[in-house]
Amino acid sequence: MRSVQSWLDEYGESHRNPTNKLIHWICVPLIMLSVLGLLLAVPRPAVFASLSPYANWATLLILASLVYYCLLSPRLGAGMLIVTVLMYLLLGVLAGLPWPLWATSAGIFAGAWIGQFIGHKIEGKKPSFFKDLLFLLIGPLWLLAALYRKLQISY
């Protein structure tokens, strides 16, 4: 398995332009939030409902992602747990809007991806996930790693 630094360095190669970086700081969390919101809107099997009110497709993705993040870096995995819990709480607020959560999530998803592609047009490089789909999981980790470096937290 590749090291976390190897993933982060390769992701960073196509994210050097300051405007693209700024766009990513906005759009990557929004994409993550919207994917979780869309997954919450997918009907869950009865077996999930019998296990827990929190057993759903979003929770399944979260657990799988957190396992992967912890294998790469336990400290970054812990940070992603905090980020994910905060997003889950925000989704609870968004679910209280007068329209369905899936509609809000779909709008955020579309707008954030448009932003991402604009950022990569400015950068002049294709998004990393065109090379490897795992970069879709690395994007949020790349932002968190940058925050850790700024706060002088090792990972």
Side-chain angles (χ1 to χ4, degrees):
M1 185 161 81
R2 290 175 60 173
S3 72
V4 69
Q5 197 58 55
S6 169
W7 280 109
L8 297 173
D9 290 345
E10 188 172 347
Y11 189 87
E13 288 173 14
S14 60
H15 301 87
R16 298 193 190 280
N17 179 284
T19 302
N20 188 31
K21 283 183 179 181
L22 176 61
I23 289 169
H24 275 64
W25 274 98
I26 297 165
C27 293
V28 167
L30 288 175
I31 289 169
M32 185 177 164
L33 179 75
S34 66
V35 166
L36 295 176
L38 287 168
L39 288 173
L40 280 172
V42 174
R44 58 191 181 141
V47 68
F48 282 17
S50 69
L51 292 173
S52 166
Y54 299 104
N56 55 59
W57 297 113
T59 302
L60 192 61
L61 175 64
I62 290 166
L63 291 174
S65 299
L66 288 173
V67 167
Y68 179 66
Y69 290 144
C70 286
L71 288 172
L72 287 175
S73 164
R75 288 185 180 181
L76 284 171
M80 287 305 297
L81 173 62
I82 294 167
V83 168
T84 304
V85 166
L86 292 173
M87 286 192 173
Y88 215 91
L89 294 172
L90 180 55
L91 285 168
V93 173
L94 294 177
L97 293 174
W99 47 84
L101 179 60
W102 70 263
T104 303
S105 298
I108 291 170
F109 185 84
W113 273 111
I114 290 168
Q116 290 284 82
F117 284 110
I118 290 170
H120 278 284
K121 180 73 173 167
I122 293 166
E123 180 83 41
K125 294 186 180 175
K126 292 187 290 188
S128 301
F129 75 87
F130 283 175
K131 180 178 179 184
D132 189 330
L133 288 177
L134 280 176
F135 280 112
L136 292 170
L137 291 176
I138 299 302
L141 206 62
W142 182 73
L143 296 175
L144 185 62
L147 181 61
Y148 274 31
R149 286 191 300 276
K150 189 172 189 96
L151 298 173
Q152 298 180 349
I153 300 171
S154 65
Y155 54 86

